[in-house]
Amino acid sequence: MIISSTSDYRAAAQKRLPPFLFHYIDGGAYAEQTLRRNVEDLAAVALRQRVLKDMSRLDTSIELFGEKLSIPVALSPVGLTGMYRRRGEVQAARAADAHGIPFTMSTVSVCPIEEVAPKIKRPMWFQLYVLKDRGFMQNALERAQAAGCSTLVFTVDMPVPGARYRDAHSGMSGPNAAMRRYWQSVTHPAWSMDVGLLGRPHDLGNISAYRGSPTGLADYIGWLGANFDPSISWKDLEWIRAFWKGPMVIKGILDPEDAKDAVRFGADGIIVSNHGGRQLDGVLSSARALPAIADAVKGQIKILADSGIRNGLDVVRAIALGADCAMIGRAFIYALATSGEAGVKHLLELLEKEMRVAMTLTSVSKVSDITGDLLVRQP
Ligand SMILES: Cc1cc2nc3c(=O)[nH]c(=O)nc-3n(C[C@H](O)[C@H](O)[C@H](O)COP(=O)(O)O)c2cc1C
């Protein structure tokens, strides 16, 4: 199979993964309108083509939170990454490391922090969810700091998990889920061998390390519903701010007023995100939310953005709309599921090449020159 884009990786991942996992990655909340709009709204952003300006020297790198990134992209935190490929967090982190960009470890990873951190050279970022057990949160922050994680990504758009209809149909949850998952595994032998057999333990590594006993994954969706904390407010974030010594980024901002609150609160950055359309369906796509948020807080706080970014052109579009850095979720997971570390490395090379083409044909030689001036103002 020829692979030259994220959609090729998506098709390959669908073949390889048992359906309960493919649809868990691929799906969104309710009717999946926001999921679709994330991609469509970004794709509809027209850039001004400019020519004949000697673009022989391009610099795609940026500096963010004191770190150099070879391209303005970081890997978004994705739960259960180790279920899509054997010890998947390690493989994705190594690919990001090789390309010179950050990997963000999810709270609900299969591999614990201590398994991944020593396998890479640059510090990873750590993503924290608000769980009812605050002892776990403190323990996770202590362990992340001890393992040298540099930036904390604090996700605030998951006080409750969004309803994802596909999960009940695919066997991720719903009636006879365990039996259906078992049958799907048997009928996907390449995945069964790589992850089912050789990728053990299948566990929420960060959580079982704290509890001292395996969590297992039998009722992952039930576990999310029972442990996420809907009482979270800005007040709760204060002790985390005081506790975490490095940069702290709030993930899941879609509204300029919340972005201003993040500035007041002392965050170092925000991630404009609707969780890849997995939480509240019908909310704005990141592409539509970005300009007003940038108007409100650009320059006061770093603006990162994810949800819908599928190629290097999208990275340039997101930055032109107001982001300082883009993040990718599903795109790297499809590549990881297809060919592991090599797949993610290849995807990042594709992204960089596509960025270079976009920069050349819009006549910008460095990332800081990618601004709203690049946008064609449509009526
Ligand atoms: C399968 C899956 C699991 C995810 N798990 C997490 C998570 O554990 N923590 C988090 O903050 N965001 C999580 N997200 C959201 C991503 O970090 C990111 O916001 C989203 O994937 C971006 O949209 P994109 O997939 O269109 O790039 C998850 C997304 C997917 C697809």
Side-chain angles (χ1 to χ4, degrees):
M1 181 172 185
I2 295 168
I3 293 199
S4 62
S5 65
T6 296
S7 44
D8 292 339
Y9 272 121
R10 177 180 177 276
Q14 183 160 21
K15 283 205 180 110
R16 188 177 164 99
L17 290 172
F20 78 92
L21 284 177
F22 174 76
H23 290 291
Y24 181 63
I25 299 164
D26 198 59
Y30 305 96
E32 303 187 339
Q33 291 194 47
T34 298
L35 170 66
R36 277 190 296 278
R37 286 181 196 149
N38 279 337
V39 174
E40 287 166 7
D41 291 349
L42 209 47
V45 172
L47 298 177
R48 289 168 64 197
Q49 176 167 297
R50 304 294 310 278
V51 292
L52 295 172
K53 301 226 186 292
D54 184 2
M55 287 291 118
S56 51
R57 283 172 193 221
L58 289 187
D59 182 2
T60 58
S61 71
I62 57 162
E63 217 184 280
L64 187 64
F65 307 132
E67 294 171 26
K68 181 154 180 176
L69 278 61
S70 64
I71 51 174
V73 175
L75 300 193
S76 291
V78 171
L80 300 188
T81 294
M83 290 306 287
Y84 317 131
R85 197 82 190 189
R86 181 196 325 176
R87 311 315 281 167
E89 288 86 3
V90 173
Q91 298 204 49
R94 288 168 67 105
D97 205 39
H99 205 92
I101 64 163
F103 165 77
T104 312
M105 161 166 278
S106 161
T107 302
V108 284
S109 290
V110 171
C111 299
I113 301 168
E114 292 79 5
E115 182 176 344
V116 183
K119 308 259 171 47
I120 54 176
K121 289 195 209 76
R122 61 186 302 137
M124 39 176 206
W125 293 2
F126 180 69
Q127 177 264 326
L128 188 67
Y129 272 133
V130 189
L131 298 187
K132 286 181 182 151
D133 181 346
R134 300 296 153 98
F136 164 76
M137 290 169 68
Q138 181 160 344
N139 173 268
L141 291 176
E142 281 166 358
R143 286 170 38 220
Q145 286 189 137
C149 294
S150 56
T151 295
L152 178 68
V153 170
F154 192 74
T155 302
V156 295
D157 60 2
M158 183 73 128
V160 287
R164 301 172 197 152
Y165 297 153
R166 283 203 220 184
D167 288 345
H169 291 274
S170 67
M172 188 72 183
S173 58
N176 304 319
M179 210 167 71
R180 291 157 69 200
R181 288 199 296 265
Y182 174 74
W183 178 245
Q184 292 176 16
S185 307
V186 171
T187 51
H188 290 77
W191 176 88
S192 287
M193 177 60 85
D194 179 54
V195 181
L197 201 62
L198 302 172
R200 289 171 182 277
H202 301 153
D203 210 4
L204 298 177
N206 291 321
I207 289 153
S208 40
Y210 165 68
R211 295 205 320 196
S213 58
T215 39
L217 292 178
D219 184 22
Y220 171 71
I221 300 287
W223 186 90
L224 292 185
N227 286 282
F228 281 39
D229 187 353
S231 77
I232 177 75
S233 71
W234 286 104
K235 192 112 201 67
D236 294 286
L237 268 65
E238 278 166 15
W239 72 265
I240 299 171
R241 175 70 289 187
F243 195 80
W244 183 262
K245 306 288 175 258
M248 176 171 170
V249 181
I250 313 262
K251 176 171 184 280
I253 300 288
L254 271 191
D255 191 280
E257 293 308 314
D258 285 342
K260 287 186 204 161
D261 281 344
V263 172
R264 274 194 285 276
F265 166 79
D268 300 280
I270 51 171
I271 304 177
V272 175
S273 171
N274 50 43
H275 218 101
R278 298 165 74 79
Q279 285 296 91
L280 184 59
D281 198 23
V283 295
L284 280 186
S285 65
S286 287
R288 298 267 311 264
L290 258 170
I293 291 176
D295 278 351
V297 299
K298 183 91 179 173
Q300 301 176 61
I301 195 168
K302 289 292 177 189
I303 304 177
L304 295 88
D306 74 13
S307 300
I309 292 168
R310 298 288 181 268
N311 55 51
L313 176 53
D314 288 344
V315 173
V316 174
R317 287 169 165 143
I319 295 173
L321 290 169
D324 296 296
C325 181
M327 296 182 79
I328 53 170
R330 292 183 183 82
F332 93 82
I333 291 293
Y334 297 140
L336 179 76
T338 305
S339 355
E341 182 180 336
V344 182
K345 276 187 183 154
H346 176 233
L347 177 83
L348 294 174
E349 282 158 18
L350 287 176
L351 247 63
E352 178 166 341
K353 273 192 199 141
E354 292 157 354
M355 256 197 86
R356 286 179 178 277
V357 172
M359 287 172 73
T360 304
L361 284 165
T362 50
S363 291
V364 287
S365 56
K366 52 185 194 302
V367 175
S368 56
D369 289 344
I370 304 175
T371 66
D373 286 348
L374 257 58
L375 301 170
V376 176
R377 304 283 171 195
Q378 288 158 329

